[in-house]
Amino acid sequence: MKLHRYRTLLFAACCFALAVVAFAPVRDAGAAITISSIEDLQKIGNDAAFPLDEDYLLGADIDASDTAAWNSGDGFDPIGDSSTPFTGSFDGQGYTIRELKINRDTEGYVGLFGYAEGAVFKDINFDNATVNGDDEVGILAGYSEYSPISGCNVTGRVSSADDSDSGYVGGVVGNIYFGSITACTSAARVTGGYYYTGGIAGYDEYAPITGCSATGSIGSYEEYTGGIVGYIGKQPVKRILLEGLKRLEYRGYDSAGLAVHARDGFQLAKTV
């Protein structure tokens, strides 16, 4: 009887161990966690086995079309926020995430990754993504800080809400602070809010952008809209440009001015 009980307990323990292995993330000792489904992708930051500070690899193309019906139509829940940012790395290995849907027009920091800090992103492709938020909106990331981004390519649509506080919208990333963007492309349609809209990045502060291209349509409700980046810097550009023009010598002229194209036509500004 004792031997039978021991065998029963041993069998139960083995079954439990097999179950744990079956549901654990795929990885080798010391290696990155492999992501092969949209469900696993959503576990990052929401499951103890998928922490925000880990290294991840895409192991296959991912069909994310089911996200259109997730969370009562809000879609995929962005990975990381301002209080708990994503701080790991994500290597797409050239694989593609298809039909990602995020519809959160009252929220900020909206993208596959909502808020990243000290992270690394490389070789991630997106096909026909639809990402909508309030501000800091991008297909890859809403906000990225000290995080290099390279070899990422996006198609689809990204947009911001139509209100006076909305902005920071880019095809790849909405707002980037330090870090870098290298060899990325966007064929996404980018529709910004009132401020800072760009084909690759909406707002860029101290982050070099090299070898990038944007071929999708780009538009916004107000100002600071660009093909690659909507705005670079940390101060309103109009005042800086006027101050610089004032310092130039014009023969026979004692004033400087500039014209900026906005939604309602050209805005003229000058200083005497």
Side-chain angles (χ1 to χ4, degrees):
M1 178 64 72
K2 288 184 179 180
L3 180 60
H4 175 71
R5 182 178 299 175
Y6 173 76
R7 287 175 176 171
T8 301
L9 291 173
L10 181 61
F11 175 76
C14 290
C15 289
F16 176 75
L18 287 172
V20 170
V21 171
F23 289 100
V26 178
R27 67 186 304 182
D28 296 324
I33 295 174
T34 298
I35 300 292
S36 298
S37 70
I38 189 61
E39 290 77 16
D40 279 350
L41 195 55
Q42 188 66 97
K43 289 177 183 178
I44 298 176
N46 296 307
D47 185 310
F50 296 78
L52 290 165
D53 60 353
E54 191 55 84
D55 298 320
Y56 294 92
L57 298 172
L58 270 188
D61 292 337
I62 287 179
D63 178 3
S65 58
D66 286 349
T67 56
W70 286 10
N71 299 308
S72 302
D74 288 345
F76 188 89
D77 190 9
I79 300 168
D81 56 35
S82 57
S83 59
T84 54
F86 178 74
T87 59
S89 69
F90 197 96
D91 184 351
Q93 300 195 106
Y95 289 114
T96 300
I97 299 171
R98 295 191 170 91
E99 303 288 342
L100 176 71
K101 309 298 181 186
I102 305 175
N103 184 29
R104 298 171 179 268
D105 59 4
T106 62
E107 299 180 20
Y109 308 124
V110 177
L112 178 68
F113 294 88
Y115 198 110
E117 183 178 307
V120 177
F121 302 106
K122 62 180 294 188
D123 299 336
I124 312 166
N125 298 316
F126 295 85
D127 180 46
N128 201 29
T130 302
V131 178
N132 182 37
D134 184 24
D135 57 10
E136 266 130 342
V137 187
I139 292 175
L140 172 64
Y143 178 83
S144 175
E145 180 174 314
Y146 292 98
S147 303
I149 300 169
S150 63
C152 295
N153 307 287
V154 303
T155 71
R157 292 174 291 170
V158 57
S159 59
S160 174
D162 177 11
D163 64 63
S164 59
D165 295 325
S166 63
Y168 302 91
V169 183
V172 176
V173 58
N175 185 355
I176 184 167
Y177 178 71
F178 282 90
S180 61
I181 306 177
T182 306
C184 293
T185 68
S186 172
R189 177 179 179 180
V190 182
T191 304
Y194 276 73
Y195 305 99
Y196 314 125
T197 304
I200 296 293
Y203 189 96
D204 178 349
E205 192 170 341
Y206 308 122
I209 298 177
T210 56
C212 296
S213 65
T215 57
S217 63
I218 302 163
S220 66
Y221 292 101
E222 276 292 344
E223 51 191 3
Y224 306 122
T225 301
I228 297 294
V229 60
Y231 180 70
I232 299 175
K234 61 182 299 183
Q235 296 180 2
V237 69
K238 186 184 298 182
R239 180 184 61 79
I240 296 172
L241 284 176
L242 286 173
E243 185 64 28
L245 289 171
K246 282 173 59 177
R247 297 175 183 273
L248 298 176
E249 291 185 7
Y250 289 92
R251 294 182 179 178
Y253 296 94
D254 58 1
S255 64
L258 57 91
V260 179
H261 188 265
R263 179 179 56 174
D264 300 323
F266 283 96
Q267 296 178 357
L268 303 179
K270 71 176 182 177
T271 181
V272 178

